[in-house]
Amino acid sequence: MALRTPSRPLRGISAAVALLAVGAVGCSEVVDSAKDGAKKVARQRSVFSLGIGDCYNPNGKEAEGETFAIEVVPCEEPHQAQVVGEFKLDEAKAFPGNDAIWAVADERCPAEAQKFAPDTWALPQGVGILYYTPTQESWATGDRAVSCTYTKEKGTFSGSLKADDAKPGQAEYLKGSNAVYQALWTTQPETGSVEDDLDGYKAQAKAVAAALDAHVKGLEGIDGTETGKLRGRLEKTAAEWNKAANAADADAFYIAYDPAVTGIDPNKTVAARKELGLATTVPADEAEFWAG
């Protein structure tokens, strides 16, 4: 299978076996290393055996490529990644190509990950979505599985990312909130100039407005003073996004866009999140974006 950025080629087993051989000389440090190597060998699993909830360490450090094995570890131990979702691609006789498969995974894996860990604010810093996909060779053997993971680019984390049972209002809030930001980021036009792609930016505004409308509706049944205040602000913000979506020209778009973006600043949701018992620290990348 191939791991989409970064991938982890098969490595480590031969080195671990070598440590076992050296351990026979009696040096305690080498023996300890040999024991660690033996444990690593014993934990090696085929990447095809990964299941939802598995915590593991990839083998190797290459940025992209193919991988065949990983080290499955107990979730309470430090690890680099956890499988948070999986799905099968539609059956097809011919391999559709990496780009086509990655496009499906780009869309499906965030949704699968949110089922497993809905509150992205509660994730360890530096954790992001990566996924294993079939290669042309594994496709020929019937492989159609995509494994979605949360992986820490540098370092490790401990414990499972699996969310506890949601408290009243949490699931509804997170469903709506996640949809808003997903609409914002996944519809972002490639060009940085509204003048060069007004239609593209208006389409983005339309998608965000629709997600906000649904979010506001979902907040109606949630009790709480701060949640109510947030609902009122987001209702006004949705109107600004709708204005941007229907702007006659770039100038009109900019006039609506500034308050529209300001209105979904995640910092303005902290009080409602606290009221609902959710994580209240804005992720670093989001904080940096709105700070700019």
Side-chain angles (χ1 to χ4, degrees), residues 21-284:
V22 175
V25 303
C27 173
S28 60
E29 291 183 2
V30 176
V31 171
D32 289 341
S33 295
K35 290 179 180 179
D36 290 340
K39 181 185 292 185
K40 184 176 180 67
V41 171
R43 289 175 169 180
Q44 292 295 309
R45 297 288 186 274
S46 166
V47 68
F48 295 99
S49 70
L50 281 173
I52 296 176
D54 284 346
C55 296
Y56 69 96
N57 290 311
N59 292 321
K61 297 181 179 180
E62 278 70 8
E64 287 192 359
E66 296 182 10
T67 187
F68 305 95
I70 39 76
E71 179 196 9
V72 175
V73 302
C75 288
E76 59 268 21
E77 293 186 12
H79 53 275
Q80 190 177 349
Q82 183 173 21
V83 181
V84 296
E86 61 183 13
F87 62 90
K88 289 188 177 296
L89 298 164
D90 293 337
E91 290 291 338
K93 293 183 179 180
F95 180 66
N98 287 328
D99 288 342
I101 291 176
W102 291 340
V104 175
D106 283 342
E107 180 179 353
R108 291 282 304 273
C109 275
E112 295 298 323
Q114 286 175 12
K115 295 176 185 176
F116 191 89
D119 190 358
T120 56
W121 289 27
L123 296 175
Q125 186 173 351
V127 166
I129 293 178
L130 300 177
Y131 40 80
Y132 291 93
T133 60
T135 63
Q136 187 168 4
E137 291 75 15
S138 68
W139 186 276
T141 67
D143 179 23
R144 300 293 187 272
V146 174
S147 295
C148 309
T149 81
Y150 267 133
T151 299
K152 191 172 176 66
E153 184 176 358
K154 296 180 180 179
T156 59
F157 61 95
S158 298
S160 173
L161 300 177
K162 176 68 175 177
D164 296 330
D165 292 338
K167 298 177 181 178
Q170 289 182 337
E172 294 81 0
Y173 173 86
L174 290 171
K175 179 181 178 181
S177 178
N178 288 338
V180 169
Y181 294 105
Q182 186 171 357
L184 177 68
W185 302 126
T186 60
T187 61
Q188 179 71 27
E190 292 186 6
T191 175
S193 172
V194 175
E195 288 81 0
D196 291 339
D197 190 9
L198 178 59
D199 288 341
Y201 279 92
K202 287 173 65 174
Q204 180 194 37
K206 182 177 180 179
V208 176
L212 273 171
D213 286 337
H215 189 22
V216 168
K217 185 175 181 179
L219 294 177
E220 289 179 355
I222 302 177
D223 295 329
T225 302
E226 295 300 332
T227 304
K229 291 179 181 178
L230 176 63
R231 180 179 177 277
R233 286 197 299 270
L234 292 181
E235 192 168 17
K236 295 178 180 178
T237 301
E240 296 297 338
W241 281 102
N242 274 307
K243 288 180 184 178
N246 294 289
D249 52 38
D251 288 341
F253 182 89
Y254 281 123
I255 292 173
Y257 189 73
D258 185 54
V261 172
T262 302
I264 58 172
D265 182 342
N267 291 285
K268 296 182 177 181
T269 69
V270 170
R273 279 178 155 272
K274 182 177 181 180
E275 186 174 69
L276 291 169
L278 296 168
T280 56
T281 301
V282 181

